[in-house]
Amino acid sequence: MKSTRLAAAVISLVSASMVATACTSSDDDSGSSGSGASANASGNSNTITYATEQEFSAYNNDNASANAVANAVVLNQVQPYFSYVDAKGNHQRDTDYGTFEKISDNPLKVKYTISDKAVWSDGTPITADDWYLYWLSHNGKYSEFQPASTTGIQDIQAPTEDPNSKTFTVTYNKPFGDWDVALGTQSSPLMPAHVVEKATGTNIAQAVKSDDKAAIAKIADFWNNKWTGFSPGQLPAADIIPSAGPYKIGTWQAGQSITLVPNDKWWGAKPKNGGITIKFIPQDQQVQALQNGDADVIEPQPNVDLISSLDKLGDAAKRNTGSGFSYDHLDFNFKSKFSNPLLRDAIAKCLPRQDIVDKLIKPVNPDASLMQTRLVYPFQDNYKEIADASGGSAFDKVDIAGAKADIAKSGVTDLTVNAIYLGNPNPRRAQTEQLIADSCNQAGFKFNVRALTPKEWGDVTTSGAYDMAQFAWSGSGTVSENQPLFATGSDQNYGKYSNPQVDSLLTELVQTTDKSKQTDLIKQIETILWKDMVTIPLFAWPLLNAYSPKVSGVVLNTTQTMATYNASDWVKTS
């Protein structure tokens, strides 16, 4: 993908060679694709209900302020894509939508061909004009746009082809290792250019070719603001948010649910069900909803109480469990009092990381350990080598005396910590914050903790009105997905961290395909990130979804797109 990570109760990356996920499943037999049902499979018209804790808020999930799993679970099979990451982290291609092939290595060139059948749900053909909009919004040349990431796209030359064409060729100015997931992916799709043009009275291709600043400003305003920040229940008109996948968005009841209905203009294999109702149900109520039949599929963050409740359902609930590309961490706001490195180190020293893992994660995953890195995961082959070299183990144990000494040296007297976390409610995060406060208060800090909804999260992180944030980055295992999280000036770099050496190393990382060189570069990056104390990794997520025995086709998705990535394959018997 134009690699992004999603923020979540998750927030949200892809490399098949780097994936070695341990996943067990009681129903891992779907052979599913991200784009629709297999042609020889029979389905029915039954609607399936999926529970998620956070309410939908944006059609443009590629905008930095909107980029969240809460939107991804709705949009996974609404928007079109050339490629996607399957449930186990492997790169796959959606040939229903189109094809692509590398036609040159020096310079790197990739030719994309959109299916002749591909149309938006309003009947408008999907064409190179949609690529013009994608390039304009993601290349980083125009600061008016606020994309979640510009990685890879910033090195692609401006489009020149006929915007009405079904083919386009991208030419890179520099090598890019993740070229096969650079654009038009499930988490970073092409968007409907014709909608923007109609609303703004512009011609996107002409604006690109002539560098029309006035027109581009209008396009950016729509892209940033008209497809994001929806108030609960206030769904834009269908012609503003068209679909090009198996489903289109139906109705939205504030605080209750949003529906996905089959897209009658979808040209691929039809869904195996009559639609998906996505209900907004707090995590601590999802097992009860499954038991009562109010939800058919749930995907909460597992905790001790939840697992105990699920166990009591016995055969009335099936489940998938495993590890995935998500990890919880603390991020510092470098524009707050935590611009002082001694204060950041003080938090790291009073932070009860092992206690958090022992009390909240090990009861769910006995093999869990402290997360020592940010760019790789414990189940990946190169994790131990990188973790051992990075220096994070120096902060494994609580050191209250050391924290107090750092505070004294810092000269900071206001020790109030305005902490935020994503997920309202989110029991595991609430418990984590309490453990942190109980420990760090002993060093002199005073925690003021707020739980935020996705919309509140976007507003607060954009404005910088916080000191420390707890959330998860959720990705897909690509090396390029990490660059926007730490690069100077990136919209996903919420804390405004900046280190020219890290910028240079990240750029080198995304340009190499040599695995041993990637490992060496990641070692260097992780060592600097620990020295600068940019973020503090806590733990890799244990993953779980559970579902009614009447439902089949549900698999555990190790990536940021969650279970609904293959919702069109789900079948529910009466």
Side-chain angles (χ1 to χ4, degrees):
M1 60 198 91
K2 168 222 85 228
S3 287
T4 65
R5 288 203 190 195
L6 298 180
V10 216
I11 292 184
S12 309
L13 320 179
V14 183
S15 175
S17 61
M18 292 181 66
V19 176
T21 179
C23 173
T24 60
S25 169
S26 59
D27 189 23
D28 193 7
D29 59 357
S30 68
S32 60
S33 75
S35 61
S38 56
N40 62 355
S42 60
N44 57 49
S45 60
N46 288 340
T47 297
I48 298 174
T49 300
Y50 169 85
T52 185
E53 64 170 323
Q54 302 290 339
E55 191 145 9
F56 178 70
S57 65
Y59 173 75
N60 182 5
N61 202 31
D62 231 359
N63 179 275
S65 66
N67 189 234
V69 167
N71 298 320
V73 297
V74 175
L75 299 171
N76 277 333
Q77 295 207 310
V78 169
Q79 295 170 333
Y81 44 88
F82 286 103
S83 63
Y84 64 100
V85 183
D86 68 17
K88 296 184 178 179
N90 301 308
H91 298 197
Q92 302 291 354
R93 301 189 181 201
D94 182 359
T95 54
D96 281 331
Y97 183 58
T99 60
F100 59 96
E101 60 178 332
K102 183 167 64 173
I103 58 177
S104 171
D105 281 309
N106 189 20
L108 175 59
K109 289 187 178 182
V110 183
K111 181 180 180 181
Y112 291 81
T113 302
I114 302 167
S115 169
D116 287 337
K117 300 177 182 178
V119 296
W120 295 99
S121 53
D122 60 6
T124 302
I126 299 172
T127 67
D129 198 28
D130 301 315
W131 157 237
Y132 272 88
L133 175 60
Y134 189 97
W135 180 88
L136 183 64
S137 56
H138 289 80
N139 72 70
K141 178 180 178 181
Y142 300 99
S143 60
E144 297 93 333
F145 290 93
Q146 300 165 357
S149 172
T150 62
T151 302
I153 311 306
Q154 64 192 7
D155 296 321
I156 293 178
Q157 296 176 13
T160 58
E161 44 270 299
D162 179 355
N164 296 313
S165 174
K166 283 284 188 175
T167 65
F168 60 91
T169 298
V170 303
T171 302
Y172 289 81
N173 294 319
K174 299 177 182 178
F176 185 60
D178 287 329
W179 64 268
D180 60 334
V181 284
L183 60 97
T185 67
Q186 192 168 34
S187 60
S188 183
L190 301 189
M191 301 290 280
H194 69 284
V195 171
V196 181
E197 291 175 328
K198 181 179 179 180
T200 61
T202 60
N203 181 303
I204 293 174
Q206 188 59 43
V208 168
K209 292 176 180 179
S210 64
D211 196 28
D212 185 337
K213 296 293 196 301
I216 289 171
K218 292 180 181 179
I219 295 165
D221 179 65
F222 187 97
W223 192 90
N224 290 328
N225 301 313
K226 304 305 180 184
W227 279 334
T228 65
F230 303 155
S231 297
Q234 300 301 305
L235 196 65
D239 61 351
I240 300 296
I241 53 169
S243 165
Y247 299 104
K248 56 186 177 181
I249 300 175
T251 58
W252 181 8
Q253 291 182 298
Q256 300 297 317
S257 66
I258 191 167
T259 63
L260 302 178
V261 298
N263 175 12
D264 57 356
K265 292 293 196 299
W266 170 243
W267 58 96
K270 303 303 180 185
K272 296 179 182 179
N273 52 65
I276 307 295
T277 296
I278 298 174
K279 285 189 176 181
F280 311 126
I281 301 176
Q283 291 193 39
D284 57 0
Q285 298 176 26
Q286 288 187 15
V287 173
Q288 186 67 50
L290 182 64
Q291 181 179 15
N292 295 344
D294 293 330
D296 298 308
V297 182
I298 64 173
E299 200 165 18
Q301 294 177 27
N303 58 56
V304 179
D305 293 339
L306 186 144
I307 294 297
S308 176
S309 297
L310 198 56
D311 287 342
K312 293 176 183 177
L313 298 189
D315 294 338
K318 303 180 76 174
R319 74 181 81 173
N320 300 318
T321 61
S323 300
F325 292 102
S326 300
Y327 77 101
D328 256 53
H329 52 96
L330 300 180
D331 277 26
F332 294 107
N333 182 357
F334 278 62
K335 299 298 182 182
S336 72
K337 61 173 67 74
F338 284 99
S339 62
N340 189 312
L342 287 168
L343 215 57
R344 299 197 299 274
D345 282 352
I347 288 288
K349 289 175 181 177
C350 67
L351 190 67
R353 292 203 301 153
Q354 189 64 58
D355 202 29
I356 292 168
V357 172
D358 289 345
K359 291 181 177 179
L360 303 182
I361 307 303
K362 279 195 173 183
V364 179
N365 176 13
D367 296 326
S369 61
L370 285 178
M371 185 86 171
Q372 302 287 17
T373 63
R374 305 154 184 84
L375 277 65
V376 293
Y377 290 80
F379 54 81
Q380 292 182 275
D381 291 339
N382 57 351
Y383 172 78
K384 187 177 186 304
E385 179 182 351
I386 293 169
D388 288 347
S390 68
S393 60
F395 301 94
D396 286 358
K397 297 180 179 179
V398 172
D399 179 8
I400 299 298
K404 288 181 175 180
D406 283 341
I407 291 171
K409 291 176 186 176
S410 75
V412 177
T413 56
D414 177 8
L415 298 181
T416 301
V417 180
N418 293 306
I420 59 173
Y421 67 85
L422 181 55
N424 188 10
N426 186 304
R428 191 168 72 195
R429 289 225 174 98
Q431 293 165 357
T432 300
E433 288 293 328
Q434 188 61 57
L435 290 171
I436 294 171
D438 289 345
S439 181
C440 288
N441 284 353
Q442 297 176 49
F445 290 108
K446 301 298 180 184
F447 274 72
N448 175 30
V449 181
R450 287 187 296 157
L452 304 180
T453 65
K455 185 178 185 305
E456 292 170 335
W457 179 266
D459 293 340
V460 172
T461 55
T462 299
S463 68
Y466 69 99
D467 294 321
M468 191 173 75
Q470 182 193 352
F471 60 102
W473 283 123
S474 183
S476 304
T478 60
V479 294
S480 60
E481 69 190 5
N482 297 291
Q483 186 174 33
L485 310 186
F486 305 104
T488 300
S490 167
D491 285 331
Q492 279 196 298
N493 179 355
Y494 298 142
K496 308 306 179 188
Y497 168 68
S498 179
N499 184 316
Q501 187 179 3
V502 170
D503 292 342
S504 178
L505 289 168
L506 286 168
T507 297
E508 189 176 355
L509 178 63
V510 302
Q511 293 177 2
T512 184
T513 57
D514 183 277
K515 300 304 176 186
S516 62
K517 187 175 181 180
Q518 286 178 351
T519 295
D520 181 63
L521 290 167
I522 294 171
K523 284 182 188 177
Q524 296 179 59
I525 294 167
E526 288 284 2
T527 299
I528 297 171
L529 294 178
W530 272 114
K531 181 181 177 182
D532 289 350
M533 201 56 70
V534 184
T535 68
I536 305 176
L538 298 176
F539 52 82
W541 274 23
L543 300 183
L544 172 145
N545 59 45
Y547 50 99
S548 164
K550 295 180 179 180
V551 176
S552 62
V554 179
V555 299
L556 188 76
N557 190 340
T558 64
T559 76
Q560 78 266 35
T561 49
M562 308 292 280
T564 61
Y565 96 104
N566 76 326
S568 61
D569 283 337
W570 298 354
V571 176
K572 180 181 179 181
T573 57
S574 301

